[in-house]
Amino acid sequence: MITALGGGVGASKFLEGLLAIIGQEHLNVVVNTADDITFSGLRISPDVDTIIYRLCGIVDKQKGWGLKGDTFHCLKALGGFGLDTWFNLGDRDLATHILRTSLKQKGFTSSEITSKIAADLGLPDNVSILPMTDADVETWVVTCEGEIHFQEYLVKRKMDIEVNRVTIRGIDQAEPAPGVLEAIKESRVIIICPSNPIISVGPILQVHGIRKALEFSEAKIIGISPLIGGVPLRGPADRLMKGLGLRVSSTQIARLYQDFLDVMVIDTKDSSEAQEINEIGIESFVVNTLMADREKARALATALLSIL
């Protein structure tokens, strides 16, 4: 059994490559849900949906999120009524959010809803998508203009303002979703996906009991840096790390996971950091981490499993 933790486009691309090489071995994916937002009355879980869409083979690969071939007629119509349209929701994508919201209002948990969505969309039988928690949590960022939801910062503002603090609302009351701790305990290898360490992996580690479970796990724990040449391919990892007073480097990310990490995978462009990572007691592994297509993602996954 393999368990992966993360969220976002980078994680989804890596998981697609991993799934292609593990045969029928079971894969658990513990997904960040702190990116969740209520928009136009609908509860949206971007990281969960992106990973489900990718592993079901229906994601829009050009954008990295949403459904391939989707249209945006409803969003345009909402704009005609003067409603916000900055969060891009495709017409078929809306069906997912309507179902999630409807089931949530009927009392179903996030875990139950996620399982239904994944099954209905055709997720492979050997994959389980596990929200990090069934509690409602949201990432908010503090900027010079005040506190705003992370999605507003990322999508609406296009990361054009400096962030000096990140808060996860509701995280203090968040317990691991069913199956999360068991997956960590029973896996032979645990992979921290190439995801933003502050707003994708960080919230997962803040859920009560998860970080401690990783510390006590007997599995080999491998982390993949989302940085290539010291910068992320997309997203605000560098901006957030700078805003929080952290050095933007794969070594710094390794330090954030230092209490449980065995191996840190870094790109060849960051090979100069290998020795520094080794010196903090974490084994470095240098490989091409750029996942330009599915085959390169598969090659990265193959390289990682060779560590075992």
Side-chain angles (χ1 to χ4, degrees):
M1 180 186 293
I2 297 173
T3 292
L5 284 67
V9 175
S12 71
K13 292 171 71 174
F14 170 75
L15 291 168
E16 181 181 39
L18 180 63
L19 186 59
I21 67 166
I22 62 172
Q24 291 304 306
E25 184 170 7
H26 198 84
L27 171 63
N28 301 295
V29 186
V30 180
V31 185
N32 168 51
T33 57
D35 277 6
D36 290 12
I37 186 172
T38 298
F39 188 80
S40 294
L42 300 177
R43 192 63 178 170
I44 301 163
S45 192
D47 282 357
V48 168
D49 292 344
T50 294
I51 288 173
I52 290 176
Y53 291 168
R54 172 76 67 166
L55 298 186
C56 289
I58 56 178
V59 76
D60 184 329
K61 291 191 175 183
Q62 185 173 359
K63 295 197 297 282
W65 50 267
L67 292 161
K68 60 183 177 184
D70 212 349
T71 53
F72 295 84
H73 302 303
C74 184
L75 194 68
K76 184 177 180 180
L78 289 172
F81 287 119
L83 300 179
D84 281 339
T85 59
W86 56 265
F87 202 78
N88 296 316
L89 303 176
D91 296 326
R92 290 190 295 120
D93 190 27
L94 277 168
T96 300
H97 312 316
I98 291 170
L99 175 64
R100 174 180 290 112
T101 305
S102 174
L103 292 176
K104 187 174 179 64
Q105 291 171 346
K106 293 177 181 178
F108 288 86
T109 66
S110 294
S111 296
E112 293 167 338
I113 295 167
T114 298
S115 293
K116 176 172 174 53
I117 291 171
D120 289 351
L121 292 177
L123 188 74
D125 292 338
N126 64 320
V127 182
S128 296
I129 305 296
L130 306 174
M132 66 184 196
T133 181
D134 280 337
D136 287 339
V137 293
E138 291 187 354
T139 300
W140 287 67
V141 296
V142 179
T143 74
C144 58
E145 299 179 11
E147 191 175 25
I148 59 176
H149 193 285
F150 171 73
Q151 294 297 345
E152 185 174 351
Y153 161 74
L154 178 68
V155 181
K156 185 177 182 180
R157 297 299 303 266
K158 301 186 186 304
M159 307 175 292
D160 67 344
I161 48 179
E162 184 176 338
V163 172
N164 51 55
R165 188 157 58 91
V166 176
T167 60
I168 313 296
R169 294 186 180 180
I171 197 66
D172 291 341
Q173 291 76 44
E175 295 291 334
V180 170
L181 296 183
E182 292 81 0
I184 292 172
K185 182 179 180 180
E186 297 171 8
S187 290
R188 68 183 181 96
V189 59
I190 297 170
I191 300 171
I192 311 299
C193 292
S195 302
N196 189 311
I198 308 301
I199 50 86
S200 292
V201 177
I204 299 175
L205 299 179
Q206 290 184 56
V207 175
H208 180 260
I210 290 183
R211 188 167 205 126
K212 187 63 67 176
L214 290 169
E215 290 178 24
F216 284 97
S217 173
E218 296 180 0
K220 189 85 165 181
I221 303 182
I222 304 170
I224 310 171
S225 174
L227 304 179
I228 296 180
V231 297
L233 290 180
R234 61 191 299 160
D238 54 342
R239 292 175 174 87
L240 295 180
M241 292 177 75
K242 286 179 182 176
L244 297 178
L246 299 173
R247 172 186 168 195
V248 182
S249 68
S250 294
T251 304
Q252 177 64 75
I253 295 173
R255 290 185 185 278
L256 294 176
Y257 307 152
Q258 189 172 0
D259 51 335
F260 59 79
L261 197 66
D262 296 311
V263 181
M264 188 67 182
V265 178
I266 61 176
D267 189 75
T268 52
K269 292 183 178 179
D270 300 302
S271 59
S272 60
E273 294 188 52
Q275 183 59 36
E276 187 177 2
I277 292 172
N278 292 336
E279 289 173 356
I280 64 174
I282 297 172
E283 179 185 350
S284 62
F285 185 79
V286 181
V287 67
N288 180 8
T289 63
L290 179 61
M291 296 176 288
D293 52 40
R294 183 179 178 182
E295 287 309 309
K296 287 183 171 56
R298 181 173 179 164
L300 174 60
T302 301
L304 258 66
L305 293 188
S306 73
I307 295 172
L308 302 177

